[in-house]
Amino acid sequence: MAYQASAQFYDLFTLGKEEEQAFYQLLAQEVGSPALELGVGTGVFAFHLAEDGITVVGLEKSREMLQEARKKLQKAPPEIAKRLLFIAGDMSDFSLDQQFRFIYVPSGSFQYLTTRKEQLGCLKSVKAHLHSEGSFVFDIWVGDSDPTGTWRRLETVSLPKGGAVTRSISTRAQESKGIIDTVLRFDVHDKTGRITDTFYDWSQLAIMTVEDVKFLLAEMQFQVETIYSSFTRAPWTPEAERAIFVSEPI
Ligand SMILES: C[S@@+](CC[C@H](N)C(=O)[O-])C[C@H]1O[C@@H](n2cnc3c(N)ncnc32)[C@H](O)[C@@H]1O
């Protein structure tokens, strides 16, 4: 499963997510508290929302990611920590005893739901937990994905105790199945640059189009308010590689 081996490295590779973070922070301020993040991971966005005074529940399927989020929670100042709750769960089917003003799925995580049943199940669960004047927001990647499985080195970051980690990716898009098989590889280097350890994480992502999502949202009685192509709120155009949906319940 995805996000097991890589959980320990996740926060080292969150550089470049500032625009996305600012986007969710601003939306949360506009829409209001409480918020629910699906696939919350290590809580990168959730912590920022909590710092802004938003109460956030984070739902996460990977035990290892949840552990990282909870470790950070233990070290957080009490006034932030009191606004955060990280719980184990599957976004394709969840039941919480609470309603939310803002439900969001950042970082393209909706595409980890690879079957129509899972996608509709997620929307059904979201609907059941969304305040009647609330917003549901998520993004999908609609750009091309490498069909060949060739390894691409993404970046190398230094480790706090010395040495470094290099993150590489291999994607194999299978158009006929509507799936992208993705492998992330993390090579740990010592101070001399020698690789001392390697970790792999496998996952499958759904290939989705804007039309697919519109159809799913309509089927579950969500109204699409806006589609952006970037986290700076540029309007969506057919050339865009990302689509960010802001929707509300009908
Ligand atoms: C790309 S990470 C995003 C983490 C965090 N939201 C962020 O933006 O930094 C995707 C996360 O979604 C989680 N995930 C994948 N499928 C899930 C599911 N069905 N239910 C809950 N979480 C899931 C993964 O374990 C992983 O932590």
Side-chain angles (χ1 to χ4, degrees), residues 1-4 10-11 14 17 20 37-45 59-63 65-66 89-93 104-109 112-113 118:
M1 196 192 115
Y3 296 100
Q4 290 181 325
Y10 191 82
D11 284 5
T14 47
K17 295 188 91 173
E20 184 172 6
E37 180 173 337
L38 302 178
V40 71
T42 61
V44 176
F45 296 130
L59 185 93
E60 173 56 48
K61 187 171 162 184
S62 148
R63 194 164 45 95
M65 292 295 263
L66 203 57
D90 190 323
M91 67 173 131
S92 65
D93 182 12
Y104 64 111
V105 198
S107 304
S109 307
Y112 287 101
L113 305 175
E118 287 175 337

Side-chain angles (χ1 to χ4, degrees), residues 14-15 23 28 43 45 66 78-79 90 103 117 123 125 127 167 206 220 224 229:
T14 47
L15 257 180
F23 172 84
F45 296 130
L66 203 57
E79 67 275 19
D90 190 323
I103 303 184
K117 187 172 173 232
L123 298 184
S125 298
K127 191 87 191 272
R167 185 169 67 140
M220 290 313 295
V224 177
S229 67

Side-chain angles (χ1 to χ4, degrees), residues 1-161:
M1 196 192 115
Y3 296 100
Q4 290 181 325
S6 63
Q8 59 183 311
F9 303 121
Y10 191 82
D11 284 5
L12 294 172
F13 294 98
T14 47
L15 257 180
K17 295 188 91 173
E18 296 83 359
E19 275 177 2
E20 184 172 6
Q21 178 191 310
F23 172 84
Y24 283 110
Q25 279 181 282
L26 191 61
L27 263 180
Q29 289 301 324
E30 289 169 8
V31 180
S33 195
L36 171 65
E37 180 173 337
L38 302 178
V40 71
T42 61
V44 176
F45 296 130
F47 276 95
H48 286 284
L49 265 57
E51 280 164 21
D52 294 342
I54 305 285
T55 298
V56 190
V57 174
L59 185 93
E60 173 56 48
K61 187 171 162 184
S62 148
R63 194 164 45 95
E64 290 77 5
M65 292 295 263
L66 203 57
Q67 240 168 32
E68 294 295 321
R70 286 177 175 161
K71 259 194 246 167
K72 292 197 303 193
L73 193 58
Q74 278 173 3
K75 293 184 197 147
E79 67 275 19
I80 309 291
K82 74 176 184 204
R83 295 196 202 101
L84 287 165
L85 178 66
F86 295 116
I87 53 174
D90 190 323
M91 67 173 131
S92 65
D93 182 12
F94 59 92
S95 173
L96 310 172
D97 195 13
Q98 202 182 342
Q99 290 258 307
F100 299 89
R101 287 243 163 209
F102 183 40
I103 303 184
Y104 64 111
V105 198
S107 304
S109 307
F110 189 79
Q111 283 168 286
Y112 287 101
L113 305 175
T114 52
T115 65
R116 198 173 157 70
K117 187 172 173 232
E118 287 175 337
Q119 292 160 2
L120 285 173
C122 177
L123 298 184
K124 191 173 170 200
S125 298
V126 168
K127 191 87 191 272
H129 293 81
L130 192 59
H131 187 279
S132 58
E133 286 168 19
S135 280
F136 173 48
V137 183
F138 65 103
D139 69 300
I140 58 162
W141 174 258
V142 288
D144 292 336
S145 292
D146 183 0
T148 66
T150 309
W151 281 103
R152 250 182 327 122
R153 182 186 155 132
L154 296 175
E155 58 194 314
T156 299
V157 295
S158 301
L159 284 168
K161 288 180 185 160

Side-chain angles (χ1 to χ4, degrees), residues 187-201:
D187 293 313
V188 181
H189 310 264
D190 64 15
K191 288 172 191 159
T192 67
R194 193 173 61 91
I195 294 178
T196 54
D197 223 338
T198 296
F199 300 87
Y200 292 93
D201 254 334

